[in-house]
């Protein structure tokens, strides 16, 4: 795989940045919208707040962006977290139950929700690091039982948070405006900037990348890979918790069955299309965020075209498959052979990549 | 049996868990150990069992298929629409559905093998696609009123004071067939060999490509058959059927002692896993607690068996 990348770099002399394909897809989609749905780019100002399809993409995409940020670091360590959707549901259920059944205020409720989410992340991390279970299998456990836990917490039903209990704070988190933009955008943006600074301005990013690229070698270099892995799963849990709170605040209902359903798949897709390989090692936070926005733009576009929300997964599946195929070494070498018409180089590459 | 002795231990553990669960439940609740409960346990979950058989083959080969729930949902609405709105004969509708399911599975298998993509990603795209197509067919539930359909769904064999339904018979026949194929055919050996170590299997000259595509095609066939069993059981099709079922199916297979890393496992184990799953749900029904407890219990069992596998797995 690395040989394959090196060969490509040598021959083409230029390697696209990780986020290249996601940006390309986003640009193509926006271009189509530019011609087909001119109203897509209209932005209105009401009461000093911005409204419009583009703002909507950012607003609805905030949850996806949060999950994608957490998932990027997990994937960068060579793992995957399938449980984020269930953690979203658990966090929403905890916050709603604390609000509706106890006298504690919104601050305690949110703290409890985030604590539950971080705890779930820690469970994943412990299973993966100390018990050495494959990440996909370890997080599958919480994915299966997490829904049950969320249902149990919520008492087998959806919990509606009445407006008088929701307090202005919770409502503001989901539907408020800050600097004219919906507040979820601010949350996602702040988390993105903070994570980017921590990861790239300190050695954290390097540690994550080295653990993902080669755990044994980084252990030999004195990196505590257990702590690094544990941290990224806890962080992914924290991100899922934030997403759960926004989801709850947005609709005012904690739905343990449907909250965050299939969102782990969206998050993995966003990370993948953003140029982070599932094999771990190098990662791109910016790419993942663009990937999440690309997915949301695709969904919003489909809704604007009148595609029923239930049928929308079909085009989504086709995009996922195309992105996967583009990352496939077999298809890449075949494409390069065809494009360059250089059979000798092509056959050498197949040997090198296999 | 071609699997190694230490691979038998999870199977024994599964049998012990089943005996303990069923025994405890029989002591706690009157009438639990009755032919009604056992027949109910099978007929309510027969579609899940059929799907678990297909998943067992996939996991034995070292792969995974996340699309089964979506394919089952698609098949229920597809068959119901063909019979009710297009006035197909049920036999023709079932044949078409089985062909569609098999081809769909084979297409995913071919993509996984020839483009060297991770199975969970390709089948994930397959999940989205099949679920979307289910809603594309019809957006709401479709009732089936058809004489042949009623006749087939009414087929039953007497069992104690009650009877065994058609879907249960379908599940048991398929179980025996697949267990025989797995244990006594070159194809079954090839699946285990590929699951054990794909590279070695290739070097041994086994038909890896053909076998891997066939494995996913078989699972597609089983998903379609499970969807048909579901329509027979419910007399209707609905695009939201079987959402999230893939996780239950994987849990059943893993609790049955099949290693997720591939190469070790058995259909007997899957039957035991299926019975544990059914017993847990029957217990929650008898104890009158919510289904969330059952979900949590299955998650906990899944974890316990994964840990057991971890301890037994060669380092």
């Amino acid at each position: 795989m690395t040989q394959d990348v090196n060969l490509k770099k040598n021959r083409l002399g230029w390697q696209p940045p990780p986020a290249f394909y996601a940006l390309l897809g986003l640009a193509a989609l926006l271009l189509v919208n530019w011609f087909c749905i001119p109203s897509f780019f209209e932005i209105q100002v009401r009461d000093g707040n911005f409204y419009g399809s583009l703002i909507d993409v950012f607003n609805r995409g905030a949850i996806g962006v949060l999950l994608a940020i957490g998932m990027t670091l997990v994937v960068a360590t060579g793992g995957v977290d399938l449980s984020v959707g269930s953690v979203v549901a658990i966090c929403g259920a905890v916050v709603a139950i604390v609000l509706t059944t106890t006298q504690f205020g919104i601050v305690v409720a949110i703290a409890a929700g985030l604590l539950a989410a971080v705890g779930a992340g820690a469970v994943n991390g412990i299973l993966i690091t100390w018990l050495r279970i494959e990440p996909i299998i370890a997080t599958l456990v919480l994915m299966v039982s997490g829904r049950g836990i969320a249902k149990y917490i919520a008492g087998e039903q959806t919990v509606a948070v009445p407006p008088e209990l929701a307090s202005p704070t919770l409502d503001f988190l989901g539907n408020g405006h800050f600097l004219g933009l919906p507040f979820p955008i601010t949350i996602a943006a702040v988390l993105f900037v903070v994570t980017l600074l921590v990861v790239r301005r300190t050695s954290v990013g390097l540690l994550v990348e080295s653990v993902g690229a080669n755990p044994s070698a980084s252990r030999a270099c004195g990196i505590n890979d257990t702590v690094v892995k544990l941290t990224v799963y806890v962080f992914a849990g924290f991100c899922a918790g934030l997403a759960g709170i926004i989801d709850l605040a947005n609709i005012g209902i904690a739905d343990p069955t449907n909250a965050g359903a299939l969102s782990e798949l969206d998050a993995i897709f966003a990370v993948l299309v953003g140029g982070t390989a599932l094999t771990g090692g190098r990662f791109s936070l910016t790419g993942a965020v663009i990937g999440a926005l690309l997915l949301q733009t695709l969904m919003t576009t489909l809704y604007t075209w009148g595609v029923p929300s239930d049928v929308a997964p079909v085009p989504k599946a086709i995009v996922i498959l195309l992105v996967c195929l583009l990352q496939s070494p077999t298809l890449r070498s075949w494409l390069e052979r065809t494009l360059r018409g250089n059979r000798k180089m092509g056959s050498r590459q197949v040997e090198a990549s296999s | 049996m071609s699997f190694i002795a230490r691979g038998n231990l999870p199977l024994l553990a599964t049998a012990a868990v089943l005996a303990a669960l069923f025994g405890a439940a029989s002591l706690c609740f009157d009438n639990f150990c009755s032919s009604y409960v056992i027949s109910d346990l099978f007929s309510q979950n027969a579609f899940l069992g059929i799907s678990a058989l297909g998943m067992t083959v996939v996991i034995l080969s070292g792969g995974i298929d996340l699309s089964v729930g979506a394919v089952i949902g698609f098949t229920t609405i597809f068959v119901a629409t063909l019979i009710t709105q297009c006035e197909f004969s049920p036999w023709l509708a079932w044949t078409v559905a089985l062909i569609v399911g098999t081809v769909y599975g084979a297409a995913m298998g071919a993509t996984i093998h020839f483009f060297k993509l991770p199975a969970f990603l390709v089948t994930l795209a397959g999940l989205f696609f099949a679920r979307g197509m289910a809603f594309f067919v019809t957006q709401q539930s479709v009732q089936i009123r058809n004489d042949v359909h009623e006749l087939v769904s009414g087929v039953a064999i007497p069992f104690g004071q009650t009877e065994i339904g058609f879907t249960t018979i379908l599940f048991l026949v398929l179980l025996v067939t697949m267990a025989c194929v797995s244990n006594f055919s070159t194809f079954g050996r090839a699946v285990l060999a590929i699951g054990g170590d794909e590279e070695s299997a290739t070097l041994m000259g086994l038909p890896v490509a053909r076998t891997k595509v066939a494995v996913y095609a078989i699972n597609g066939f089983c998903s379609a058959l499970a969807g048909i069993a579901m329509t027979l059981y419910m007399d209707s099709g609905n695009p939201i059927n079987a959402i999230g079922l893939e996780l239950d199916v994987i849990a059943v297979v893993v609790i049955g002692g099949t290693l997720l890393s591939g190469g070790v496992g058995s259909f007997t184990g899957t039957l035991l896993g299926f019975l544990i799953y059914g017993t847990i749900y029957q217990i929650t029904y008898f104890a009158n607690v919510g289904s969330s407890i059952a979900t949590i219990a299955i998650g906990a069992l899944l974890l316990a068996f994964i840990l057991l596998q971890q301890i037994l797995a060669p380092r």
Side-chain angles (χ1 to χ4, degrees):
Chain A
M1 198 68 173
T2 40
Q3 257 176 325
D4 173 49
V5 173
N6 288 340
L7 259 178
K8 193 177 165 194
K9 199 174 177 181
N10 289 344
R11 277 167 35 226
L12 296 178
W14 175 79
Q15 211 183 356
F20 178 71
Y21 292 108
L23 267 178
L24 201 69
L26 193 58
L29 198 57
L30 289 178
L31 201 67
V32 171
N33 280 344
W34 182 266
F35 289 110
C36 298
I37 318 167
S39 67
F40 197 83
F41 293 90
E42 276 172 22
I43 291 177
Q44 294 151 351
V45 184
R46 264 180 277 146
D47 306 332
N49 297 327
F50 295 101
Y51 291 91
S53 289
L54 272 183
I55 304 293
D56 210 44
V57 166
F58 280 105
N59 188 14
R60 302 226 167 278
I63 291 176
V65 167
L66 287 173
L67 295 177
I69 292 172
M71 188 69 81
T72 308
L73 295 185
V74 169
V75 171
T77 61
V80 72
D81 188 351
L82 295 178
S83 71
V84 289
S86 297
V87 176
V88 166
I90 292 177
C91 180
V94 168
V95 174
I97 281 298
V98 171
L99 268 184
T100 49
T101 59
T102 67
Q103 298 302 315
F104 301 116
I106 179 75
V107 178
V108 175
I110 287 179
L114 285 179
L115 200 66
V118 166
V123 168
N124 283 332
I126 288 169
L127 289 180
I128 290 160
T129 53
W130 288 345
L131 299 172
R132 302 199 175 280
I133 302 176
E134 290 258 331
I136 190 171
I137 298 166
T139 53
L140 182 74
V141 173
L142 197 57
M143 187 185 182
V144 175
S145 50
R147 292 265 159 220
I149 295 171
K151 265 192 214 168
Y152 182 73
I153 294 172
E156 307 282 334
Q157 57 194 355
T158 58
V159 181
V161 180
E164 68 270 16
L165 280 175
S167 81
T169 323
L170 188 66
D171 191 50
F172 183 77
L173 284 177
N175 304 314
H177 284 79
F178 180 70
L179 297 178
L181 294 171
F183 195 64
I185 300 180
T186 317
I187 300 179
V190 166
L191 188 83
F192 171 60
V193 171
V194 169
T195 314
L196 199 64
L197 285 179
V198 168
V199 161
R200 294 300 182 202
R201 294 286 167 207
T202 70
S203 58
V204 171
L206 191 67
L207 295 181
V208 168
E209 284 186 341
S210 77
V211 167
N214 192 336
S216 336
S218 46
R219 210 174 305 135
C221 294
I223 297 172
N224 191 338
D225 64 328
T226 309
V227 171
V228 172
K229 282 190 182 172
L230 203 58
T231 313
V232 294
Y233 284 98
V234 167
F235 181 66
F238 175 76
C239 292
L242 277 183
I245 290 170
I246 294 180
D247 188 52
L248 170 71
N250 219 320
I251 53 178
I253 293 170
D255 181 352
T257 322
N258 296 318
L262 294 181
S263 60
E264 56 277 340
L265 309 180
D266 290 353
I268 294 171
F269 167 74
V271 171
L272 208 66
V273 76
T276 305
L278 272 176
T279 42
R282 300 179 58 192
F283 68 93
S284 165
L285 271 178
T286 321
V289 170
I290 294 172
L293 291 177
L294 165 68
L295 208 57
Q296 189 57 46
T297 312
L298 181 69
M299 294 320 260
T300 308
T301 307
L302 290 171
Y303 297 155
T304 321
W305 276 341
V307 177
S309 64
D310 294 322
V311 182
V314 172
K316 200 154 130 184
I318 294 170
V319 172
I320 293 181
L321 201 60
L322 281 179
V323 169
C324 291
L325 285 176
L326 274 177
Q327 293 205 340
S328 154
T330 321
L331 188 78
R332 274 194 183 179
S333 65
W334 180 80
L335 273 179
E336 277 185 25
R337 236 179 315 167
T338 321
L339 287 177
R340 298 171 64 90
N342 191 337
R343 282 172 190 281
K344 213 173 163 188
M345 289 291 275
S347 62
R348 229 180 72 198
Q349 170 149 19
V350 169
E351 277 167 26
S353 62
S354 61
Chain B
M1 286 284 183
S2 50
F3 57 87
I4 45 173
R6 55 198 283 143
N8 269 322
L9 207 65
L11 193 62
L12 291 175
T14 312
V17 168
L18 175 63
L21 265 179
F22 205 88
S26 307
L27 288 177
C28 290
F29 309 109
D30 295 337
N31 306 325
F32 192 89
C33 189
S34 70
S35 53
Y36 288 108
V37 172
I38 295 171
S39 134
D40 234 36
L41 191 155
F42 272 100
S43 62
Q44 273 181 5
N45 303 310
F47 65 92
L48 182 126
I50 294 172
S51 181
L53 294 176
M55 186 67 85
T56 309
V57 185
V58 174
I59 295 181
L60 279 179
S61 80
I64 195 128
D65 190 342
L66 298 177
S67 72
V68 289
V71 175
I72 291 172
F74 170 77
T75 308
T76 63
I77 191 66
F78 185 60
V79 167
T81 311
L82 281 187
I83 294 176
T84 308
Q85 281 164 19
C86 307
E87 294 178 349
F88 274 42
S89 124
W91 299 109
L92 184 61
W94 290 329
T95 316
V96 173
L98 287 175
I99 292 173
V100 169
T102 312
V103 170
Y104 193 68
M108 288 193 295
T111 316
I112 292 166
H113 180 74
F114 292 112
F115 294 110
K116 297 191 173 59
L117 292 174
F120 91 95
L121 268 179
V122 174
T123 55
L124 177 61
L127 182 163
F128 280 127
F129 190 84
R131 187 61 73 186
M133 288 311 284
F135 282 100
F136 183 72
V137 175
T138 312
Q139 303 233 9
Q140 64 275 334
S141 170
V142 174
Q143 286 288 322
I144 301 176
R145 283 191 194 81
N146 183 292
D147 293 340
V148 181
H149 195 270
E150 267 172 36
L151 189 76
V152 172
S153 62
V155 172
I157 301 174
F159 171 72
Q161 294 114 359
T162 173
E163 50 192 14
I164 296 177
F166 178 72
T167 53
T168 309
I169 301 170
L170 204 61
F171 166 56
L172 294 175
V173 168
L174 192 69
L175 172 71
V176 173
T177 318
M178 289 180 73
C180 287
V181 169
S182 170
N183 286 324
F184 305 115
S185 75
T186 47
F187 174 77
R189 301 248 168 82
V191 170
L192 286 175
I194 292 170
D197 190 335
E198 190 172 329
E199 214 162 311
S200 308
T202 316
L203 293 174
M204 276 164 70
L206 290 172
V208 172
R210 203 197 316 157
T211 310
K212 270 179 84 179
V213 174
V215 159
Y216 286 92
I218 289 172
N219 192 35
F221 176 85
C222 287
S223 305
L225 196 65
I228 292 170
M230 206 169 185
T231 46
L232 282 170
Y233 182 67
M234 307 194 340
D235 282 327
S236 67
N238 195 329
I240 63 161
N241 275 343
I243 282 185
L245 189 83
E246 50 279 351
L247 302 175
D248 286 343
V249 172
I250 294 170
V252 162
V253 175
V254 173
I255 291 172
T258 300
L259 294 195
L260 266 168
S261 44
V264 178
S266 68
F267 287 91
T268 324
T270 300
L271 174 66
L272 293 179
F274 166 81
L275 290 173
I276 289 180
Y277 180 92
T279 309
I280 289 177
Y281 270 92
Q282 288 288 345
I283 290 174
T284 56
Y285 178 69
F286 267 76
N288 208 7
V289 292
S291 66
S292 65
I293 301 287
T295 318
I296 297 173
I298 286 166
L301 263 183
L302 183 62
L303 180 61
F305 276 88
I306 289 170
L307 285 177
L308 182 68
Q309 292 182 0
Q310 199 66 24
I311 295 162
L312 296 173
R315 293 278 166 101

